[in-house]
Amino acid sequence: MSTEERILEAAVAEFMLKGYAGARTAAIAEAAGVTHAMLHYYFRTKEKLFDKIIESKIGTLRDIMLSSLGDPDTPLFDKIRTAIDNHQDFIAANPNLPRFMINEVLSRPEKMPLVIRQLKNHTPLVVESLQRQIDDCAAEGLCRRVDAGMLMLDIVSLNIFPFIASPMVNALLGSLMKDREAFIEARKKENVETIMRKLRL
């Protein structure tokens, strides 16, 4: 792992745990095994390091959704199943990210352009391609005609809610989440079935 990658990995842990205000570059440098001066050499400021993490996470998420939903030759139901699985795996690997995005990004309007820049050139194309495929399948009597944007919003909402509300979910349904891997796999199946019910005739 390169020095830059070590710094970014340490910064993700620090920002996700403490938020922007609570995160300390000295703690990030120590966790990455570099000097404070070295951290500033690579990223200049705490703000630039924060922005790099946002861009990286959103870019990864964008690429996951593009690869899952962007191929017009993949059958619709296979595509939806893959999108749900891949997105759920990403969130499971980054369980604090949904709350972090709400607390640290959506609550700071000046950060929204970072997110928009990562998504605006690709998301409309994916939605349009998915909508055409849904419309074609509906015309053939293979599925319902639904709005592709709403469908993507449904997928994201179903996948991220348990992580956003994890303190409450754990308190109310702790036994359900005791085995994390089993819970993730169960959520995938539940979410796939929920979305498929919306599409099936």
Side-chain angles (χ1 to χ4, degrees):
M1 185 182 292
S2 70
T3 300
E4 183 174 349
E5 288 170 337
R6 291 204 317 274
I7 293 170
L8 283 172
E9 186 177 83
V12 167
E14 180 79 0
F15 281 124
M16 295 291 167
L17 181 64
K18 299 177 182 176
Y20 180 81
R24 297 288 177 264
T25 52
I28 294 169
E30 183 179 352
V34 301
T35 65
H36 203 229
M38 182 68 75
L39 183 147
H40 283 284
Y41 170 79
Y42 277 95
F43 294 102
R44 304 299 178 197
T45 66
K46 177 179 167 180
E47 188 82 15
K48 288 186 184 299
L49 182 54
F50 179 84
D51 290 352
K52 179 69 175 179
I53 289 168
I54 297 300
E55 289 174 352
S56 173
K57 293 296 183 183
I58 295 297
T60 301
L61 180 57
R62 176 204 64 210
D63 293 345
I64 285 169
M65 298 311 280
L66 274 173
S67 65
S68 302
L69 296 172
D71 181 5
D73 296 325
T74 302
L76 178 63
F77 282 42
D78 292 345
K79 178 181 288 189
I80 298 298
R81 186 174 288 104
T82 299
I84 292 171
D85 283 356
N86 290 348
H87 182 254
Q88 185 76 84
D89 285 341
F90 172 77
I91 297 300
N94 298 272
N96 295 319
L97 184 61
R99 263 182 292 147
F100 173 80
M101 291 296 293
I102 290 171
N103 294 335
E104 302 293 331
V105 179
L106 299 184
S107 62
R108 299 172 67 197
E110 71 275 14
K111 290 300 173 189
M112 281 308 295
L114 277 174
V115 177
I116 300 302
R117 272 201 305 272
Q118 290 289 334
L119 298 175
K120 70 176 183 180
N121 293 329
H122 303 282
T123 303
L125 296 176
V126 173
V127 173
E128 288 168 16
S129 172
L130 183 59
Q131 189 66 64
R132 282 195 297 273
Q133 191 168 16
I134 290 170
D135 291 346
D136 289 345
C137 285
E140 294 176 30
L142 301 175
C143 74
R144 296 179 189 273
R145 181 173 276 109
V146 300
D147 184 275
M150 286 293 191
L151 193 71
M152 287 180 66
L153 186 58
D154 289 340
I155 291 170
V156 172
S157 300
L158 285 166
N159 280 347
I160 70 172
F161 178 77
F163 296 93
I164 290 175
S166 61
M168 181 177 67
V169 173
N170 272 313
L172 297 175
L173 304 170
S175 59
L176 188 64
M177 298 184 73
K178 190 180 294 183
D179 184 333
R180 191 170 181 276
E181 273 191 34
F183 176 76
I184 296 300
E185 289 307 311
R187 284 304 299 167
K188 284 182 184 179
K189 291 176 183 175
E190 287 283 338
N191 294 350
V192 165
E193 185 55 35
T194 298
I195 295 298
M196 293 306 181
R197 279 200 297 270
K198 184 171 182 174
L199 283 167
R200 289 190 191 111
L201 292 170

